[in-house]
Amino acid sequence: MLRILVIACFIILQPYVWAVEPDFAAERRALMVEISALAKETRSETGQGVISAQVMEAMGRVPRHIFVPPEVRHHAYRNRPLPIGYSQTISQPFLVAYMTELLQVNKDSKVLEVGAGSGYQAAILGELVKEVYTIEIIKPLAERASETLKSNGYINVQVQVGDGYYGWKKHAPFDAIIVTAAASHVPPPLIQQLKRGGRMLIPLGSSFMPQHLVLVEKDMQDRVRTRELLPVQFVPLTGGH
Ligand code: SAM
């Protein structure tokens, strides 16, 4: 009798058991350990031996696997970029943590991202700041990112379809700007939309040439200073500019 009951329960519950999504908690924890170790190892190149507890906690909370297509989900917690469709990628987690750290944002910050892609970087920022505005030039990616962010409670992140070269004037000025596609130069509209005392991170260079992550700082007198940080590889900033 008991055996029949167990078999019956198994048959009834089986579809629900299979429907439960894995949450990859152990893989996410292992990735956090890897990122912390990499920050220490690359200190001489990055000048940033430690990623702050706030940024690491945000990285540990955001489920990267929900931002990638199902066919690459099992790789979501590898420290590497992954394809997200339309020839675009979700950035390497270490780089996401490193760039987030360098933005020096806090819970009152308003941040602009150019290149929403999957929405993952925006979600990390959404955990840390007051408002995130992110622009994506490929409409289906923008729609998917917006849907993923909304359905996972990121109500402080707004996604817009458009050419991020021109920024998002309506919500400017921004405490920080992060560009996640490689440009040939720093877009003047983004410099204008950066607050005094603000920071911008942007990869400069082309797809076939070495690219460098550049930190742009605007001081309280509106003077702009740029500093090359480290070699990187990003997809190109496209658009009609
Ligand atoms: N931050 C993204 C994430 O977390 O998934 C990864 C961004 S991916 C490396 C770069 C993105 O920039 C692509 O989705 C690409 O379509 C977008 N992009 C390229 N040029 C753009 C432009 N002018 N304006 C807005 N987005 C742009």
Side-chain angles (χ1 to χ4, degrees), residues 160-173:
Q160 175 171 273
V161 185
D163 187 346
Y165 181 92
Y166 302 101
W168 198 332
K169 212 169 170 186
K170 187 177 158 198
H171 298 290

Side-chain angles (χ1 to χ4, degrees), residues 171-231:
H171 298 290
F174 300 98
D175 298 286
I177 298 178
I178 178 169
V179 182
T180 63
S184 58
H185 59 276
V186 184
L190 297 187
I191 294 181
Q192 279 156 19
Q193 292 174 29
L194 186 63
K195 212 181 248 182
R196 286 180 175 168
R199 299 184 131 211
M200 179 187 337
L201 281 168
I202 179 165
L204 292 182
S206 73
S207 304
F208 310 107
M209 302 283 282
Q211 298 173 5
H212 280 92
L213 185 64
V214 171
L215 173 66
V216 181
E217 291 170 287
K218 189 189 260 190
D219 71 14
M220 299 315 279
Q221 283 73 47
D222 255 347
R223 287 179 303 222
V224 173
R225 196 173 70 129
T226 61
R227 194 152 39 107
E228 248 181 35
L229 298 175
L230 78 161

Side-chain angles (χ1 to χ4, degrees), residues 88-89 113 115-118 121 136-138 163-164 180 235 237-238:
Q88 303 304 321
T89 53
E113 181 192 27
S118 67
Q121 172 74 73
E136 172 53 54
I137 204 161
I138 299 175
D163 187 346
T180 63
V235 294
L237 188 78
T238 57

Side-chain angles (χ1 to χ4, degrees), residues 19 26 28 64 67 75 96 141 229 237:
R28 197 155 50 249
R64 190 174 188 245
F67 291 91
H75 291 313
V96 172
L141 282 182
L229 298 175
L237 188 78

